[in-house]
């Protein structure tokens, strides 16, 4: 089955084939209230301010900004009016246009009749320190529920960057109702926050403090500023990101094969691509990147591996390769049953 629009003959139908099953459940799984849509009909764009008129698009997107949930942060930006969507889940501190490949990717996806959706989560920008993978999963489910019920979505592909990869892995473990609408997952730069932060001088002391605070029932209290100068962070989230086998610890090179499989093995049920940057600045030099990506793909159950030589963490220096790898995967045939996850 082809993931491109040519395989989705039902896209012209008036209602999604997900809707009859999900509509009844999405009021609880897809978020409370009745999220409204701020339809800007192509008038809203994010721009670097350069150029004008017919100048080439650079960090500039036109589309629709809409609310998918009741919280102020729960808005998303969508390019293209198609019934198949790639949802980009960014990493720590990320928001709209988090990586340089998103603008050309949106153009490439439109040509294949796919929309690109960039949601803001409660954890976006500096919110990550007071959020959690569990909260992100709830909001991702709300977003997919919105796309099913309001946009008649016929399926989504989740594209995670950096810690967004942890979000996808955790979300797919929840088996939430709308997770069955996920056709495939792409993990771009699935790296270990713990191994990177272990290179910082204050980390060991702060892990001890976070552990003590959690043992005292103070997991939602904030850590000292020096623990995470970029954003306020709770003891729980600091421990999750920095401690051995914390909730966010999924891609560390010192985890055993069994531990990796325990964390990632459920992803074998979803077609998955791993895009690894071989010059990722957030992977410590002592880590054998080739061995690590092989182990991650094996733990996931045979995920497709894409190694991008000299690529940095966000692939800003390998934009064309990033777009091509993602596009090829989105368009590729999947296993039997790809078009009907409800079966």
């Amino acid at each position: 089955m082809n993931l491109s629009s040519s395989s989705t003959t039902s896209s012209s139908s008036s209602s999604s084939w997900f809707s009859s099953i999900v509509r009844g459940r999405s009021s609880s799984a897809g978020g409370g209230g009745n999220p409204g849509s701020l339809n800007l009909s192509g008038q809203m764009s994010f721009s670097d301010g350069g150029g004008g008129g017919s100048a080439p698009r650079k960090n500039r997107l036109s589309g629709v900004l809409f609310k998918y949930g009741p919280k102020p942060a729960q808005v998303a930006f969508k390019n293209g009016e198609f019934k198949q969507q790639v949802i980009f889940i960014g990493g720590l501190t990320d928001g709209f246009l988090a990586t340089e490949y998103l603008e050309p990717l949106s153009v490439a996806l439109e040509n294949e009749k796919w929309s690109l959706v960039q949601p803001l989560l409660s954890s976006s920008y500096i919110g990550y320190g007071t959020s959690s993978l569990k909260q992100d999963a709830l909001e991702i489910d709300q977003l997919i529920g919105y796309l099913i019920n309001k946009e008649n979505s016929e399926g989504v592909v989740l594209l995670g960057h950096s810690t967004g990869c942890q979000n996808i892995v955790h979300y797919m473990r929840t088996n939430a109702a709308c997770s069955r609408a996920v056709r495939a997952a792409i993990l771009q730069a699935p790296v270990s926050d713990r191994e990177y932060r272990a290179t910082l001088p204050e980390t060991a002391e702060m892990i001890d403090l976070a552990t003590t605070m959690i043992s005292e029932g103070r997991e939602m209290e904030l850590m000292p500023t020096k623990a995470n100068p970029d954003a306020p962070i709770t003891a729980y989230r600091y421990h999750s990101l920095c401690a051995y086998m914390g909730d966010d610890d999924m891609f560390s090179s010192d985890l055993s094969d069994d531990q990796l499989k325990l964390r990632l093995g459920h992803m074998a049920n979803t077609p998955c691509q791993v895009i690894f940057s071989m010059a990722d600045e957030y992977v410590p030099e002592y880590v054998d990147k080739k061995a690590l990506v092989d182990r991650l793909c094996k733990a996931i159950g045979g995920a497709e591996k894409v190694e991008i030589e000299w690529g940095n963490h966000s692939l800003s220096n390998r934009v064309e390769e990033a777009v091509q790898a993602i596009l090829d995967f989105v368009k590729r045939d999947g296993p039997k049953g790809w078009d009907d996850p409800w079966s």
Side-chain angles (χ1 to χ4, degrees):
M1 312 297 175
N2 196 305
L3 266 179
S4 67
S5 61
S6 61
S7 69
T8 319
T9 57
S10 61
S11 63
S12 60
S13 61
S14 59
S15 63
S16 166
W17 43 265
F18 289 112
S19 299
S20 61
I21 299 180
V22 175
R23 283 188 203 280
R25 293 184 286 181
S26 61
S27 57
S28 58
N34 182 24
S37 175
L38 176 60
N39 191 323
L40 301 183
S41 301
Q43 299 304 307
M44 184 67 178
S45 64
F46 295 88
S47 173
D48 60 0
S54 60
R57 302 190 335 176
K58 176 65 175 175
N59 294 329
R60 179 183 176 92
L61 299 175
S62 296
V64 176
L65 185 70
F66 62 92
K67 282 189 66 65
Y68 65 89
K71 295 183 179 181
Q74 289 181 290
V75 297
F77 189 75
K78 178 169 69 76
N79 309 96
E81 294 295 329
F82 306 110
K83 295 185 179 181
Q84 303 172 112
Q85 298 90 18
V86 172
I87 300 174
F88 176 82
I89 310 295
L92 305 185
T93 75
D94 284 344
F96 291 138
L97 286 173
T99 65
E100 290 191 21
Y101 62 72
L102 286 175
E103 183 271 326
L105 177 63
S106 72
V107 176
L109 289 172
E110 282 190 68
N111 291 336
E112 299 297 331
K113 311 302 183 188
W114 282 74
S115 294
L116 175 66
V117 178
Q118 299 178 63
L120 293 185
L121 307 174
S122 296
S123 62
S124 296
Y125 299 118
I126 64 169
Y128 68 89
T130 54
S131 190
S132 65
L133 294 179
K134 180 179 179 180
Q135 179 62 39
D136 287 345
L138 290 172
E139 296 184 10
I140 291 169
D141 202 57
Q142 285 178 293
L143 172 63
I144 298 175
Y146 177 93
L147 294 172
I148 292 169
N149 289 293
K150 302 295 185 180
E151 304 285 343
N152 289 322
S153 174
E154 295 177 346
V156 303
V157 170
L158 298 180
L159 165 60
H161 163 65
S162 193
T163 310
C165 298
Q166 281 104 292
N167 280 329
I168 291 173
V169 171
H170 182 81
Y171 174 65
M172 296 307 294
R173 182 184 290 278
T174 66
N175 288 319
C178 295
S179 69
R180 298 176 67 185
V182 177
R183 292 185 173 194
I186 302 170
L187 307 181
Q188 188 266 305
V191 302
S192 171
D193 289 281
R194 172 170 67 84
E195 287 188 315
Y196 170 71
R197 286 174 179 254
T199 66
L200 306 179
E202 70 278 2
T203 300
E205 175 191 358
M206 291 297 103
I207 290 175
D208 289 342
L209 176 59
T211 302
T212 299
M213 292 173 67
I214 292 170
S215 69
E216 296 171 349
R218 300 161 52 206
E219 63 271 9
M220 299 313 294
E221 291 186 20
L222 296 180
M223 296 282 289
T225 301
K226 73 172 185 177
N228 197 66
D230 294 337
I233 193 166
T234 63
Y236 162 76
R237 191 67 200 267
Y238 190 87
H239 186 274
S240 178
L241 288 166
C242 301
Y244 177 74
M245 291 295 283
D247 288 346
D248 277 271
D249 190 13
M250 300 180 185
F251 308 119
S252 297
S253 64
D254 60 352
L255 296 180
S256 69
D257 289 344
D258 286 342
Q259 287 172 320
L260 287 176
K261 187 173 182 179
L262 182 67
R263 294 280 164 122
L264 306 175
H266 62 283
M267 295 297 292
N269 298 321
T270 306
C272 191
Q273 179 188 58
V274 174
I275 302 177
F276 208 90
S277 300
M278 304 312 288
D280 195 313
E281 63 271 28
Y282 291 103
V283 178
E285 291 186 3
Y286 66 82
V287 174
D288 183 336
K289 297 181 181 67
K290 286 186 175 293
L292 176 58
V293 69
D294 284 342
R295 295 181 65 222
L296 294 179
C297 289
K298 180 180 178 181
I300 290 171
E304 175 186 293
K305 176 181 67 175
V306 177
E307 297 178 352
I308 298 190
E309 295 298 330
W310 310 112
N312 60 22
H313 186 63
S314 66
L315 293 175
S316 61
N317 63 339
R318 291 291 186 273
V319 169
E320 291 185 8
E321 291 177 54
V323 171
Q324 194 61 54
I326 294 168
L327 193 65
D328 286 348
F329 183 70
V330 169
K331 292 168 58 179
R332 188 166 313 138
D333 291 349
K336 185 177 181 181
W338 181 289
D339 280 347
D340 186 7
W342 299 116
S343 66

